[in-house]
Amino acid sequence: MGVRKLGENLYLYPGSPSTMIKLHEGKAVLVDVGHGSGRHKDLLREVRKLGSEIKALLATHGHADHISVAIKIDKPLFMHRFEFSIAESPLNRELLTFGSKAPEEFLVFQFPHEVKVHAIFEWNDELFGLKAMKLNGHSPGMTGFVDEENCVIYSGDSFFGERIIQAVGVPYLIDVGLFKTSIMQLHNYAIEGFLLIPSHGRPVKGEEAEKLLEFNLQRIEDAEKKILELLKRPMSISELSYHLAKTFEAKITPQSLALNQVPIRAFIAELYNKGVIEAVIERDLKWKVR
């Protein structure tokens, strides 16, 4: 497996997540180095094949599957200021996905080590020929990286490939409104002809990109409608997680049900703030339509 050329001085090394390689002033900048025991060796090899060496690392966000290899590459890591504490603290990463320290080896991807962040950036900053783009919703500081010259956006987890969504049922997000806004922003770029690269899924462009973004939005709308339907009778977060997984024919495991409780809580907050649902106590904290 080798790199795919995306444009002038721009390459993609496939994986889940894929890693984008930008050659800037003769040196390589890697976006989302990912995870895996041999991933760092693969990336170093591919950069050498390009006749370059690694100068810096950029990360779209601080989830472990996107950054764990950074500690083996030992180059400066840049991240949005909302994400650096998630990267540096294994406990913070578990708080986002489990709500507290998680049981050992329980989460889908668990990385017990700190990942040092050397510099933080703001959205709209220019970094090594790439522009940091606000695409939050999946995580607090989720960032896309725009290569204007090549009309490419590395979109991170601001949207997902269809196969990933079918497997999990509900896209992982922490704010429904922000997630939708990010997708609509990307939709405008797709119309302009930009190539969009999700971290988990293959690059898409044009009509294919528009359809995939619409699929992501549709799944969010379908999830919200199903939640409202289910909440005609009081139901807990964990019950909603199970019933939504059944509805979308997703794989049901203890780990997937725990993970899906995060986006479900985001839906609950959205609906509660709109005054559509209310909290009740029926031998548990439950929610129901007003």
Side-chain angles (χ1 to χ4, degrees):
M1 188 189 309
V3 297
R4 167 188 170 186
K5 187 175 177 65
L6 298 174
E8 186 67 27
N9 294 319
L10 193 66
Y11 303 86
L12 188 70
Y13 185 73
S16 188
S18 295
T19 299
M20 189 168 78
I21 302 171
K22 171 72 172 179
L23 298 184
H24 180 71
E25 297 178 349
K27 300 292 180 67
V29 178
L30 275 55
V31 180
D32 278 6
V33 291
H35 65 94
S37 59
R39 181 81 175 179
H40 63 295
K41 295 178 181 178
D42 295 339
L43 292 171
L44 289 167
R45 180 191 67 240
E46 294 303 321
V47 169
R48 283 196 298 268
K49 285 182 181 179
L50 296 173
S52 185
E53 59 181 314
I54 298 173
K55 178 179 183 178
L57 312 176
L58 302 178
T60 57
H61 60 298
H63 289 167
D65 59 323
H66 290 252
I67 61 168
S68 65
V69 164
I71 64 174
K72 296 181 178 180
I73 294 179
D74 193 28
K75 294 293 180 180
L77 174 63
F78 292 66
M79 189 170 291
H80 189 273
R81 62 188 176 91
F82 291 167
E83 296 285 332
F84 80 92
S85 65
I86 300 170
E88 294 201 337
S89 169
L91 181 56
N92 279 355
R93 292 196 294 268
E94 293 183 11
L95 284 172
L96 272 179
T97 52
F98 194 73
S100 67
K101 182 172 178 57
E104 290 184 7
E105 301 182 359
F106 180 78
L107 297 178
V108 175
F109 187 83
Q110 218 158 338
F111 186 67
H113 305 293
E114 297 178 12
V115 179
K116 177 66 177 175
V117 178
H118 301 84
I120 60 173
F121 58 77
E122 301 285 353
W123 288 311
N124 296 318
D125 283 356
E126 297 284 344
L127 301 154
F128 311 106
L130 300 170
K131 184 176 181 180
M133 177 182 182
K134 180 181 179 181
L135 289 176
N136 57 345
H138 171 77
S139 67
M142 172 67 221
T143 299
F145 292 99
V146 185
D147 186 318
E148 294 278 1
E149 179 185 5
N150 291 299
C151 291
V152 172
I153 301 176
Y154 186 90
S155 309
D157 286 355
S158 57
F159 74 101
F160 297 95
E162 188 169 338
R163 187 168 61 178
I164 293 289
I165 294 178
Q166 299 289 21
V168 300
V170 182
Y172 184 93
L173 54 85
I174 60 169
D175 187 299
V176 178
L178 291 176
F179 194 83
K180 288 181 177 179
T181 298
S182 294
I183 290 178
M184 293 308 299
Q185 188 176 2
L186 287 171
H187 192 270
N188 292 334
Y189 278 92
I191 292 173
E192 292 177 11
F194 275 72
L195 177 72
L196 306 183
I197 305 172
S199 293
H200 306 283
R202 60 189 182 83
V204 288
K205 186 177 181 179
E207 185 177 341
E208 185 181 15
E210 293 179 52
K211 286 182 177 179
L212 183 54
L213 293 168
E214 288 163 6
F215 179 80
N216 276 253
L217 280 178
Q218 187 63 53
R219 179 53 60 93
I220 293 169
E221 292 173 7
D222 290 345
E224 184 173 299
K225 289 176 184 176
K226 187 61 181 180
I227 288 170
L228 287 173
E229 180 184 321
L230 290 167
L231 293 185
K232 289 178 182 177
R233 67 177 181 85
M235 196 170 285
S236 68
I237 298 289
S238 58
E239 289 175 310
L240 284 169
S241 180
Y242 176 78
H243 284 287
L244 281 179
K246 293 285 285 185
T247 295
F248 296 123
E249 299 181 343
K251 185 177 181 180
I252 297 177
T253 65
Q255 291 78 10
S256 66
L257 292 180
L259 189 68
N260 280 347
Q261 289 184 33
V262 176
I264 290 170
R265 287 191 182 95
F267 280 106
I268 290 296
E270 184 92 351
L271 295 170
Y272 183 88
N273 292 341
K274 290 178 180 178
V276 178
I277 63 173
E278 62 182 348
V280 296
I281 298 175
E282 290 190 4
R283 293 179 294 182
D284 194 0
L285 172 59
K286 297 188 177 182
W287 307 86
K288 74 178 185 69
V289 173
R290 286 185 179 273

